[in-house]
Short mmCIF file of all heavy atoms in Angstrom, two decimals:
data_model
loop_
_atom_site.label_atom_id
_atom_site.label_comp_id
_atom_site.label_asym_id
_atom_site.label_seq_id
_atom_site.Cartn_x
_atom_site.Cartn_y
_atom_site.Cartn_z
N MET A 353 -6.70 -25.80 0.02
CA MET A 353 -6.02 -26.66 1.00
C MET A 353 -5.44 -25.81 2.13
O MET A 353 -4.83 -24.78 1.89
CB MET A 353 -4.89 -27.45 0.34
CG MET A 353 -5.35 -28.53 -0.63
SD MET A 353 -6.29 -29.88 0.11
CE MET A 353 -5.03 -30.76 1.01
N SER A 354 -5.65 -26.27 3.35
CA SER A 354 -5.11 -25.61 4.54
C SER A 354 -4.00 -26.47 5.11
O SER A 354 -3.98 -27.69 4.92
CB SER A 354 -6.20 -25.47 5.61
OG SER A 354 -7.28 -24.72 5.16
N GLU A 355 -3.11 -25.86 5.87
CA GLU A 355 -2.12 -26.64 6.61
C GLU A 355 -2.88 -27.53 7.59
O GLU A 355 -3.94 -27.16 8.08
CB GLU A 355 -1.17 -25.71 7.36
CG GLU A 355 -0.26 -24.88 6.46
CD GLU A 355 0.73 -25.75 5.71
OE1 GLU A 355 1.21 -26.76 6.28
OE2 GLU A 355 1.01 -25.43 4.54
N LYS A 356 -2.32 -28.70 7.89
CA LYS A 356 -2.99 -29.67 8.76
C LYS A 356 -3.46 -29.03 10.06
O LYS A 356 -4.62 -29.16 10.44
CB LYS A 356 -2.05 -30.84 9.05
CG LYS A 356 -2.64 -31.86 9.97
CD LYS A 356 -1.65 -32.96 10.30
CE LYS A 356 -2.26 -33.89 11.33
NZ LYS A 356 -1.33 -34.89 11.79
N GLY A 357 -2.58 -28.32 10.76
CA GLY A 357 -2.94 -27.71 12.04
C GLY A 357 -3.99 -26.64 11.89
O GLY A 357 -4.89 -26.52 12.74
N ASP A 358 -3.92 -25.85 10.83
CA ASP A 358 -4.90 -24.80 10.59
C ASP A 358 -6.28 -25.40 10.34
O ASP A 358 -7.29 -24.93 10.86
CB ASP A 358 -4.46 -23.92 9.41
CG ASP A 358 -5.37 -22.73 9.21
OD1 ASP A 358 -5.69 -22.04 10.22
OD2 ASP A 358 -5.78 -22.48 8.05
N PHE A 359 -6.33 -26.48 9.55
CA PHE A 359 -7.60 -27.15 9.29
C PHE A 359 -8.18 -27.69 10.59
O PHE A 359 -9.37 -27.49 10.87
CB PHE A 359 -7.39 -28.28 8.27
CG PHE A 359 -8.66 -28.96 7.85
CD1 PHE A 359 -9.43 -28.44 6.83
CD2 PHE A 359 -9.08 -30.13 8.48
CE1 PHE A 359 -10.61 -29.07 6.44
CE2 PHE A 359 -10.25 -30.76 8.10
CZ PHE A 359 -11.01 -30.23 7.07
N GLU A 360 -7.37 -28.36 11.39
CA GLU A 360 -7.83 -28.89 12.68
C GLU A 360 -8.36 -27.78 13.58
O GLU A 360 -9.36 -27.95 14.26
CB GLU A 360 -6.68 -29.61 13.40
CG GLU A 360 -6.28 -30.90 12.75
CD GLU A 360 -7.28 -32.03 12.95
OE1 GLU A 360 -7.99 -32.03 13.98
OE2 GLU A 360 -7.38 -32.87 12.05
N ARG A 361 -7.67 -26.65 13.61
CA ARG A 361 -8.04 -25.52 14.48
C ARG A 361 -9.35 -24.86 14.02
O ARG A 361 -10.16 -24.49 14.84
CB ARG A 361 -6.90 -24.50 14.45
CG ARG A 361 -6.72 -23.68 15.65
CD ARG A 361 -5.44 -22.84 15.70
NE ARG A 361 -4.79 -22.53 14.43
CZ ARG A 361 -3.77 -23.23 13.90
NH1 ARG A 361 -3.29 -24.28 14.53
NH2 ARG A 361 -3.23 -22.87 12.75
N ARG A 362 -9.54 -24.73 12.72
CA ARG A 362 -10.68 -23.96 12.19
C ARG A 362 -11.93 -24.78 11.89
O ARG A 362 -13.04 -24.28 12.00
CB ARG A 362 -10.27 -23.26 10.90
CG ARG A 362 -9.22 -22.19 11.10
CD ARG A 362 -8.81 -21.54 9.80
NE ARG A 362 -9.95 -20.99 9.10
CZ ARG A 362 -10.02 -20.85 7.78
NH1 ARG A 362 -9.02 -21.18 7.02
NH2 ARG A 362 -11.08 -20.33 7.22
N VAL A 363 -11.77 -26.04 11.46
CA VAL A 363 -12.90 -26.83 10.96
C VAL A 363 -13.31 -27.90 11.97
O VAL A 363 -12.51 -28.74 12.35
CB VAL A 363 -12.54 -27.48 9.60
CG1 VAL A 363 -13.70 -28.33 9.09
CG2 VAL A 363 -12.17 -26.41 8.58
N GLU A 364 -14.57 -27.83 12.40
CA GLU A 364 -15.09 -28.84 13.34
C GLU A 364 -15.58 -30.07 12.58
O GLU A 364 -15.33 -31.19 13.00
CB GLU A 364 -16.25 -28.25 14.14
CG GLU A 364 -16.81 -29.21 15.16
CD GLU A 364 -17.90 -28.59 15.99
OE1 GLU A 364 -17.96 -27.34 16.11
OE2 GLU A 364 -18.71 -29.35 16.54
N ARG A 365 -16.29 -29.87 11.48
CA ARG A 365 -16.79 -30.97 10.63
C ARG A 365 -16.46 -30.62 9.19
O ARG A 365 -16.87 -29.58 8.69
CB ARG A 365 -18.31 -31.12 10.76
CG ARG A 365 -18.80 -31.43 12.12
CD ARG A 365 -18.75 -32.88 12.36
NE ARG A 365 -19.26 -33.16 13.70
CZ ARG A 365 -19.21 -34.33 14.25
NH1 ARG A 365 -18.67 -35.33 13.60
NH2 ARG A 365 -19.66 -34.51 15.45
N GLY A 366 -15.72 -31.51 8.51
CA GLY A 366 -15.38 -31.25 7.13
C GLY A 366 -14.27 -32.16 6.65
O GLY A 366 -13.86 -33.09 7.34
N PHE A 367 -13.78 -31.88 5.44
CA PHE A 367 -12.72 -32.68 4.85
C PHE A 367 -11.92 -31.83 3.88
O PHE A 367 -12.38 -30.80 3.39
CB PHE A 367 -13.29 -33.90 4.10
CG PHE A 367 -14.12 -33.55 2.90
CD1 PHE A 367 -13.54 -33.40 1.64
CD2 PHE A 367 -15.49 -33.35 3.01
CE1 PHE A 367 -14.31 -33.08 0.53
CE2 PHE A 367 -16.26 -33.03 1.91
CZ PHE A 367 -15.67 -32.89 0.66
N GLN A 368 -10.69 -32.27 3.64
CA GLN A 368 -9.88 -31.73 2.55
C GLN A 368 -9.07 -32.89 1.98
O GLN A 368 -8.61 -33.76 2.72
CB GLN A 368 -9.01 -30.56 2.98
CG GLN A 368 -7.96 -30.84 4.01
CD GLN A 368 -7.10 -29.61 4.28
OE1 GLN A 368 -7.32 -28.51 3.75
NE2 GLN A 368 -6.10 -29.78 5.12
#
Side-chain angles (χ1 to χ4, degrees):
M353 291 296 288
S354 301
E355 292 294 324
K356 178 184 175 186
D358 186 47
F359 185 85
E360 290 287 331
R361 209 170 22 264
R362 294 179 56 208
V363 178
E364 182 177 337
R365 300 274 181 188
F367 65 90
Q368 63 177 3

